[in-house]
Amino acid sequence: MKTILNADLHCHSTVSDGTLTPEDLAQRAFNNGVELWSLTDHDEVGGQKRAAAAARALGMHYLTGTEISVTFLEQTVHIVGLGFDPDHPGLIEGLRQTRNGREQRAREMAEGLAKVGIHSAFEGALKFVGNPDLVSRTHFARFLVESGVCKETHEVFRKYLTEGKPGFVPHRWARLKDALHWIHQAGGIAVIAHPARYKFSANEEFALFTEFKGHGGQAVEVITGSHTVAEFVTYTATAKEFGLAASRGSDFHSPDESHTELGSLPYLPGELTPVWELLTHRIQ
Ligand code: AMP
Ligand code: MN
Ligand code: MN
Ligand code: MN
């Protein structure tokens, strides 16, 4: 497959914290000219069969995907897995463990919000949840917008759901090593998602990339909806420095909330190895 390809290898459906079904996302990606697509729901592969079938019906190439929540140096880091066998028991069990604890965390988030006068947020967030195993901060954000507490979801995150704010509950996710092991066991490739989003020092970021490589990680998102144009340049250099392939994905969640539309990002820089070149045998 060529480097200049409209690949979108990062987005979310109702199976995690997106608002469109896998089928509607496939149609939207196709309408936007996406040639190679992946649905990467958080900590979950329950939508993979539907996404692959929808892509096939449209004649659009597909790679299986997920986005695993990891705790690294006390921060949450997201690792995208691509091109794995979605039925692999080790991967399924690892993701199940990672999802475990989300409900308890959500109850504690609601307790924090109740202390500042926002009541019944757990029940409120549940109204927006498509998958009971996957209640996320995004669902709380939608509830707080619906109830008029904030105008939009970014404002909810800023005021209520990030570190130090009333609805924030620290959580321990998977270990980097384990997340990579699950992806690799299932025959996939691991990708560091949106690296510019983390608040690491230069040394900490170096440690993340070094450990990721050490555990067999092979790619990094360079062109993502979470990066500025300057960050495209920064992480092009990082990909080369660490000998990593590059990925491209919008991180689309919802027509109402996402700033980056499916399939709308700039192409990968020609000097990088596209992650799909390592996955030609896995493309459906
Ligand atoms: P969780 O896995 O429950 O911690 O939720 C993380 C999700 O919240 C991310 O995948 C994003 O979809 C969303 N999110 C995180 N930060 C923000 C933000 N500042 N504005 C809007 N959505 C955000
Ligand atoms: Mn999300
Ligand atoms: Mn993410
Ligand atoms: Mn994402």
Side-chain angles (χ1 to χ4, degrees), residues 43 95-113 121-126 129 131-137 139-140 167 169-173:
D43 309 322
L95 295 179
R96 193 191 63 73
Q97 283 171 17
T98 307
R99 290 193 300 273
N100 247 347
R102 272 189 181 267
E103 181 179 328
Q104 179 58 29
R105 170 196 189 226
R107 290 187 189 279
E108 290 172 24
M109 286 170 63
E111 284 168 21
L113 291 169
F122 179 74
E123 295 72 20
L126 279 190
V129 164
N131 172 358
D133 267 5
L134 215 120
V135 48
S136 90
R137 284 186 292 162
H139 303 111
F140 280 83
V169 174
H171 193 75
R172 190 150 298 277
W173 301 107

Side-chain angles (χ1 to χ4, degrees), residues 10 12 42 67 77-78 80 193-194 197-198 221 226 251 253:
H10 190 151
H12 301 272
H42 296 286
E67 182 178 21
V77 165
H78 286 168
V80 164
H194 44 62
R197 285 243 303 256
Y198 313 125
E221 277 183 355
S226 299
D251 208 356
H253 281 72

Side-chain angles (χ1 to χ4, degrees), residues 109-119 144 149 159-160 165-167:
M109 286 170 63
E111 284 168 21
L113 291 169
K115 286 189 186 138
V116 294
I118 299 165
H119 298 285
L144 266 67
V149 176
K159 293 185 176 162
Y160 293 100
K165 299 299 153 66

